[in-house]
Amino acid sequence: MNDNELCWCGSKKEYKDCHKEFDIKCALKEKEGYLIPKKTMIKNENQIEGIRKAAFYNNALLDLIENSIHEGMSTDEIDVIATNFLKENNCISADYHYEGFPKHLCTSVNDVVCHGIPSKRVILKKGDIINVDTTLSYNGYYADASRMFIVGGETNEKAQKLVRVTKECLIKAEDAIKPFETTLNDIGRIIEKHAHKNGFSVVEEFCGHGVGLSMHEDPYVLHYSVNEKTYLLVPGMVITIEPMINQGLKGIYIDSNDGWTVRTKDKKLSAQWEHTLVVTNDGIEVLSK
Ligand code: MF3
Ligand code: CO
Ligand code: CO
C-alpha cells in the first residue's frame, strides 16, 4: 500500500499516518516465525469506539443484575430484568434466537458450565453459584461478558475458591498481554497452569473469540495450550477471554432436554468469567466486564 492511499483499516486516514508502522512490525514478527492475524481481525478506532459504547451498556446491565440477584428468585426473572433494560436502552440481545436460543442471556447455576436457559423452574438458593453471561448489540456493535455471583453472599469454601481462581485465571491472562509479544497460546497456557495448580480442570469444548461486529468472530481463543502456532496479539484485536473451570473433571455434556444447557459430567461445580477486551499499543483495555 502507498503512503498516501487510504489505510486498509477503513479509518479514512492516509496509510503512512495509520497502519504503516503496524504493518512493518507485523512483517518483522512474521520473519521471526510468528503467526500474524488477518486484517479482518483488526478493528479501527471508530469500530473500537462503537464496541466501547456497546460495552458500556453491557456493563450497566451486568451491574443491574448484580444488584438484583437474590435468594428465592427464578433465573427467568433475571431474563425479564435484561429484557426491560435492553428495550429501555435501545440495545438488542445477541443471544435471543441465536441458533434458536430462546432467551436474552445465559444463566448457568452450579454444575451448569454455560448456556443455561433462564427458567421459572430454576429458583436460586443460598450458596448457589451462578454465571450470568450477556451479549448485546448497540448501534451494530457487540459486547460480551459474564460474571459469577454467589447467591446470598456466602457459600462453602470450595465453591468460593473455584469462583475466585476462575477469575484469577482470566486476570492473569489479561495481565500478560503485550502487543507484538504475546500469542493466543500464552493465554491458554497461563489459564491452564493456574487452574491445574489449584486442582481444577479446564473445559475444552468452548472458547473465547473475536467479537465486535458480530457476537462470534475469528479467532478462537482457547483456554488451554496447543502444539501449534497460534496468532500473535496485536493492537486493534478485540477478543473475549472466558475460561470455564471445573471443580472436578473436565468432561461435559449437553443436556438433551433442551439441547443447550452444558453440564459437568461428574455433577461438580463449574465457574466462568468473561471479558471483552481490545489489544492496545501498550497492553489491553478491558471493554466489557
Ligand atoms: N455469550 C456467549 C459467549 O460468550 C454466547 C451465548 S450463545 C447463546 O460466547 F446462544 F447461548 F446465547
Ligand atoms: Co458470553
Ligand atoms: Co463470549
Side-chain angles (χ1 to χ4, degrees), residues 47-61:
Q47 293 168 326
I48 292 165
E49 184 50 32
I51 300 164
R52 197 179 278 118
K53 287 201 178 103
F56 169 83
Y57 288 108
N58 207 42
N59 296 344
L61 172 56

Side-chain angles (χ1 to χ4, degrees), residues 12 18 25 29 33 47 52 62 77 104 126 138 148 151 173 186 199 212 242 250 286:
K12 297 189 174 126
C18 198
K25 278 192 188 159
K29 283 291 166 181
Q47 293 168 326
R52 197 179 278 118
L62 283 168
E77 287 176 63
H104 302 78
K126 188 174 169 71
Y138 176 75
M148 294 298 299
V151 179
D186 296 329
E242 50 181 299
K250 67 180 179 184
V286 176

Side-chain angles (χ1 to χ4, degrees), residues 12-13 21 57 72 84 89 108 163 179 199 212 251:
K12 297 189 174 126
K13 285 198 267 187
E21 203 182 317
Y57 288 108
N84 293 333
N89 292 286
S108 303
V163 171

Side-chain angles (χ1 to χ4, degrees), residues 137-175:
S137 70
Y138 176 75
N139 193 25
Y141 295 101
Y142 290 74
D144 182 9
S146 78
R147 302 179 192 169
M148 294 298 299
F149 305 113
I150 296 171
V151 179
E154 284 167 47
T155 187
N156 63 69
E157 226 167 275
K158 277 173 80 179
Q160 227 167 295
K161 182 182 168 191
L162 178 70
V163 171
R164 173 177 57 80
V165 168
T166 304
K167 184 159 191 185
E168 287 167 0
C169 284
L170 169 58
I171 301 298
K172 280 176 187 289
E174 287 180 337
D175 286 348

Side-chain angles (χ1 to χ4, degrees), residues 144 209 240 242 274:
D144 182 9
H209 48 89
T240 74
E242 50 181 299
E274 174 176 23

Side-chain angles (χ1 to χ4, degrees), residues 1 25 68 70 79 82-83 94 97 99 109 111 117 119 132 154 157 160 189 204 224 230 243 257 260 266 278:
M1 173 153 245
K25 278 192 188 159
S68 312
H70 60 269
D79 189 71
T83 307
H97 287 177
E99 293 181 9
V109 182
D111 66 312
I117 302 174
S119 164
V132 179
E154 284 167 47
E157 226 167 275
Q160 227 167 295
R189 197 176 309 105
E204 294 178 356
Y224 57 96
T230 58
N257 290 313
W260 277 103
D266 62 10
V278 57

Side-chain angles (χ1 to χ4, degrees), residues 158-227:
K158 277 173 80 179
Q160 227 167 295
K161 182 182 168 191
L162 178 70
V163 171
R164 173 177 57 80
V165 168
T166 304
K167 184 159 191 185
E168 287 167 0
C169 284
L170 169 58
I171 301 298
K172 280 176 187 289
E174 287 180 337
D175 286 348
I177 297 176
K178 291 203 180 68
F180 297 110
E181 272 183 47
T182 313
T183 65
L184 287 177
N185 228 359
D186 296 329
I187 291 178
R189 197 176 309 105
I190 288 164
I191 291 168
E192 189 171 57
K193 188 175 154 204
H194 192 59
H196 291 170
K197 194 178 92 183
N198 283 282
F200 300 142
S201 59
V202 179
V203 173
E204 294 178 356
E205 286 83 350
F206 301 92
C207 58
H209 48 89
V211 62
L213 309 184
S214 60
M215 173 158 64
H216 292 142
E217 301 174 0
D218 279 346
Y220 291 120
V221 179
L222 303 186
H223 305 116
Y224 57 96
S225 58
V226 291
N227 280 319

